Amino acid sequence: AKAAGKNRFHFHTEVAAREAARQFELEAQLRLAIAREEFELHYQPKLGVDDRAVTAVEALVRWRHPNRGLVMPGEFIALAEDRGLIVAIGRLVIKMACRQIAAWRRQGIEPPCVAINVSAKQFADDVLLADLTAAMTESSVGGGELVVELTETALMADPERATGVLEALRRLGVRIAIDDFGTGYSSLSYLKRFPADEVKIDRSFVDGLPEDPDDLAITQAVIAMAHSLGMKVVAEGVETEAQRSALAAMGCDQMQGYLLGRPMPVEDLVGRLSKAVHG
Ligand code: C2E
Ligand code: CA
Ligand code: CA
Ligand code: CA
């Protein structure tokens, strides 16, 4: 038994060492990727619940790895946050989103609003506002063309400071969405004090619709509360027609999900946009 215990110990340390080496390698590659700007944005439409018109698009980052192909954010965003690389990646995301808006305009396409995901560490860094302003100026993008998506965690880390940053974003004309709503620990009083324009109901609640009574109750409560505070509600992760119609019946404003459109490269999105613009 002792020998087995020892082996298990060796096994665990080996696994841990291999994982640490893998993370180290990934971090080194990520640093190179930032220098080489190996990132691209895919876009997922946000649509009106009733008319299904594209109201905005959410920019979702992908890493175009030289030999691994397309790497999803779930594989590198957490590490980037941990190793202090998220601000540099976020800066590239902001720049790419603004350049895309300018490109659409040059092509005679009415640009949709672009929602940008900003992670907690990036929100906590004072450079965010400067990065946004620089990219907006470079591409002649107005604040009204951008939405910043923030999680409750990002806002609650330092609520005092968060309120100030949100007000500064608002002065730029940038709209604010609270992402993954319901999964954090923010209270009603905080929601009231943060000047947000939009609340995104987390996919974990939408999953259970329309059958799960708890998910129904939570969704209904979030919609009622958000509306009473003058905020719009976006449901994430809508995959079925039954979910869509339940959300429509509850008065949800907008939705996103595989039922309506997966995140897609910009070439694929253009068809959806011209449809939205030209009827
Ligand atoms: P999120 O902001 O909550 O984005 C929604 C995620 O759900 C996306 O995954 C999207 O592809 C996926 N999704 C959309 N509709 C459906 C659906 O109907 N069913 C299911 N099962 N999934 C759906 P993705 O693109 O892998 O992004 C994952 C997360 O990575 C995002 O979650 C966001 O937190 C983060 N992320 C993505 N892009 C950026 C970025 O540019 N900066 C930062 N800081 N984080 C980002
Ligand atoms: Ca988001
Ligand atoms: Ca989410
Ligand atoms: Ca998320």
Side-chain angles (χ1 to χ4, degrees):
K2 200 177 169 193
K6 198 177 169 204
N7 281 339
R8 198 155 54 232
F9 176 73
H10 276 284
F11 176 73
H12 283 301
T13 47
E14 268 165 43
V15 169
R18 230 178 296 132
E19 177 57 18
R22 199 189 68 87
Q23 299 257 309
F24 189 77
E25 168 72 16
L26 195 63
E27 179 187 349
Q29 292 186 356
L30 208 45
R31 286 184 191 276
L32 260 183
I34 293 167
R36 295 176 179 164
E37 306 199 4
E38 286 172 356
F39 299 94
E40 59 187 60
L41 296 179
H42 283 196
Y43 296 90
Q44 185 178 33
K46 290 189 191 180
L47 303 94
V49 165
D50 298 321
D51 60 4
R52 303 195 189 200
V54 178
T55 50
V57 294
E58 177 175 2
L60 295 154
V61 71
R62 274 93 180 90
W63 175 8
R64 179 66 69 181
H65 193 283
N67 15 329
R68 285 171 59 196
L70 208 60
V71 183
M72 300 300 277
E75 292 185 53
F76 65 89
I77 290 289
L79 184 76
E81 280 221 315
D82 186 58
R83 305 298 156 96
L85 300 175
I86 194 65
V87 170
I89 294 174
R91 181 177 298 134
L92 291 174
V93 166
I94 291 168
K95 189 172 76 177
M96 287 188 287
C98 288
R99 286 186 178 172
Q100 186 56 58
I101 292 173
W104 277 321
R105 190 160 283 133
R106 274 199 309 278
Q107 294 157 19
I109 295 164
E110 168 112 36
C113 273
V114 178
I116 296 169
N117 289 284
V118 168
S119 69
K121 288 262 168 62
Q122 193 187 353
F123 184 69
D125 196 301
D126 286 327
V127 90
L128 174 66
L129 288 168
D131 286 346
L132 270 169
T133 317
M136 286 163 59
T137 307
E138 185 207 46
S139 297
S140 304
V141 165
E145 299 181 277
L146 298 177
V147 177
V148 163
E149 297 196 359
L150 295 160
T151 60
E152 292 166 76
T153 318
L155 295 170
M156 295 299 290
D158 183 350
E160 209 64 56
R161 183 183 169 279
T163 309
V165 180
L166 294 186
E167 278 161 5
L169 286 172
R170 284 224 144 164
R171 282 194 293 276
L172 286 177
V174 174
R175 275 173 298 140
I176 295 138
I178 303 183
D179 211 350
D180 300 345
F181 191 77
T183 60
Y185 53 100
S186 56
S187 64
L188 282 181
S189 60
Y190 276 111
L191 189 63
K192 185 178 160 200
R193 102 179 231 187
F194 292 131
D197 302 273
E198 193 176 295
V199 165
K200 298 188 76 174
I201 300 183
D202 193 66
R203 184 167 82 229
S204 56
F205 303 111
V206 174
D207 272 346
L209 300 181
E211 295 89 7
D212 188 292
D214 296 334
D215 289 344
L216 264 176
I218 290 167
T219 304
Q220 209 134 35
V222 170
I223 293 171
M225 180 194 63
H227 282 170
S228 74
L229 293 170
M231 300 176 188
K232 294 276 184 226
V233 181
V234 183
E236 293 184 335
V238 178
E239 294 182 350
T240 68
E241 179 53 36
Q243 289 169 342
R244 192 204 66 80
S245 60
L247 287 159
M250 287 187 275
C252 182
D253 304 289
Q254 291 171 38
M255 56 191 173
Q256 275 182 292
Y258 293 170
L259 176 72
L260 308 137
R262 290 183 176 249
M264 55 190 109
V266 70
E267 311 83 72
D268 298 350
L269 183 69
V270 169
R272 306 278 300 249
L273 292 182
S274 22
K275 241 189 273 163
V277 174
H278 305 297

